[in-house]
Amino acid sequence: MSTKDSSARLPSADEISEINRRHLIDTPLAPADLLFMFGTREDVALRAKTAARLWREGYFRWSIVSGGVTPGSEQSECTIIKAAMVAAGIPADRILEEHRAMNTGENVILSLPIIEAALGLRNIRRVICLGNTWTARRYPMTLHRHWPEVEKMLVTVDSFATPRGQWHTDAEFCRRMLHEWDKIEPYKAKGFIAEWPEP
């Protein structure tokens, strides 16, 4: 379904229920070896604040930020997000950088060699994915496609006043959620992502 269709249609009660159950997954948090920060232009300060809280609470030892230069900016998403994370209290030398990725698949594909060189992939057993609420499980699904060995956890953030489970009552929240939800099956069919959590 196209973006235009996603923004125009209204979800049925069954679809709302399915999205809340299958897409907006909550995972129990445990201390991880790595926080994977997916690039974005949305809610950067909120993401950095959330990452800093996780850091202070001992939930990760290393982080990687992945994101390239997007239209209208001279700096990469990585540069902007890392600066916000450092300002929020995370040591700069604990944040690995990936500056070329232009989509979620590239976030993972281009980050893996960087993680391997700096830390060794075999030394990473648990990863926390941090990103936008509406993208939800597509982050760990992408990671699972390219790095199935690690345990994946998911933390999502957004600045909508609307509660997460009521996303369908806010026009913009609804548009973003449906746009991402509509990618899941086509992306699985193309091999961009893998089922997660596994049945």
Side-chain angles (χ1 to χ4, degrees):
M1 188 163 292
S2 72
T3 304
K4 185 176 180 181
D5 291 334
S6 295
S7 63
R9 73 184 178 87
L10 294 175
S12 66
D14 285 346
E15 188 175 29
I16 291 166
S17 176
E18 187 176 16
I19 289 172
N20 285 346
R21 181 176 58 85
R22 295 187 60 219
H23 191 57
L24 297 178
I25 291 173
D26 279 316
T27 60
L29 273 185
D33 302 298
L34 182 74
L35 176 78
F36 201 120
M37 180 77 85
F38 288 81
T40 188
R41 287 168 287 177
E42 300 284 345
D43 299 328
V44 169
L46 179 57
R47 279 206 203 189
K49 180 179 176 182
T50 303
R53 175 179 57 79
L54 294 172
W55 170 259
R56 287 193 305 272
E57 293 175 0
Y59 278 107
F60 66 93
R61 295 183 297 156
W62 293 90
S63 177
I64 186 161
V65 183
S66 173
V69 177
T70 55
S73 177
E74 294 180 357
Q75 293 183 308
S76 69
E77 290 177 338
C78 175
T79 298
I80 294 166
I81 295 169
K82 179 175 179 176
M85 291 169 69
V86 172
I90 301 173
D93 62 0
R94 288 283 162 166
I95 306 172
L96 306 177
E97 303 176 27
E98 188 291 303
H99 292 275
R100 295 185 295 141
M102 298 305 292
N103 57 54
T104 308
E106 289 185 356
N107 286 144
V108 175
I109 292 166
L110 297 175
S111 292
L112 289 179
I114 295 168
I115 298 167
E116 169 65 23
L119 307 174
L121 293 174
R122 68 190 178 283
N123 296 318
I124 308 299
R125 293 179 178 83
R126 287 179 173 162
V127 177
I128 297 172
C129 300
L130 177 56
N132 298 320
T133 296
W134 49 91
T135 307
R137 69 181 174 132
R138 195 162 65 77
Y139 295 121
M141 290 179 83
T142 306
L143 199 62
H144 197 59
R145 164 65 179 81
H146 301 284
W147 198 8
E149 300 84 5
V150 293
E151 179 183 342
K152 297 151 193 81
M153 294 168 278
L154 177 62
V155 174
T156 60
V157 298
D158 65 78
S159 56
F160 286 104
T162 305
R164 191 176 75 163
Q166 297 297 311
W167 56 268
H168 55 282
T169 65
D170 180 292
E172 179 58 18
F173 206 170
C174 185
R175 184 193 69 78
R176 294 185 192 187
M177 192 72 74
L178 293 178
H179 180 61
E180 292 297 330
W181 172 249
D182 288 341
K183 292 177 181 178
I184 297 290
E185 292 306 320
Y187 278 23
K188 278 169 60 178
K190 291 176 180 177
F192 295 166
I193 59 179
E195 190 60 57
W196 180 92
E198 292 177 314

